[in-house]
Amino acid sequence: MAPVPPTDAELDTFIRARLASLGIDLDQLPAGSVADPVTGSPGRDSVLASLRSFVRSTVTALAAYQLPAPAGTDPTLAMALSQQPAPMLYPSISTEWRA
């Protein structure tokens, strides 16, 4: 069975929850799709429409991305290798985080 794409209401709930976890409240924006003439803030509806478009188009592409495996790598290991942490320019900085 193919996955059913989320509705606009489901995406709005997801977007609001993700933004709320970061401390961003969309209710602070002016209602509707017209920008506030005083502050220039976009309308809440236009922001949600833009974010829905972003989630529908970009997130699936990012989720499907895999880092290329070195030549000669067994295909069964390629997925596991793509989950490895990216190399760091200064690994000593992260040593404290991993200890």
Side-chain angles (χ1 to χ4, degrees):
M1 176 185 276
V4 178
T7 64
D8 284 354
E10 291 170 333
L11 280 177
D12 287 351
T13 302
F14 168 74
I15 290 165
R16 284 179 174 275
R18 291 289 295 170
L19 292 175
S21 71
L22 298 170
I24 299 170
D25 182 12
L26 289 180
D27 291 328
Q28 299 297 314
L29 293 173
S33 59
V34 179
D36 185 339
V38 177
T39 65
S41 298
R44 187 180 320 132
D45 295 341
S46 61
V47 169
L48 279 171
S50 176
L51 290 172
R52 280 193 305 267
S53 173
F54 171 79
V55 169
R56 283 193 172 112
S57 64
T58 308
V59 173
T60 51
L62 291 175
Y65 179 76
Q66 287 185 341
L67 291 171
T73 302
D74 182 5
T76 58
L77 296 176
M79 180 63 166
L81 287 174
S82 72
Q83 301 301 315
Q84 298 293 318
M88 297 186 71
L89 185 58
Y90 301 104
S92 61
I93 295 171
S94 71
T95 304
E96 193 64 31
W97 301 336
R98 292 180 279 160

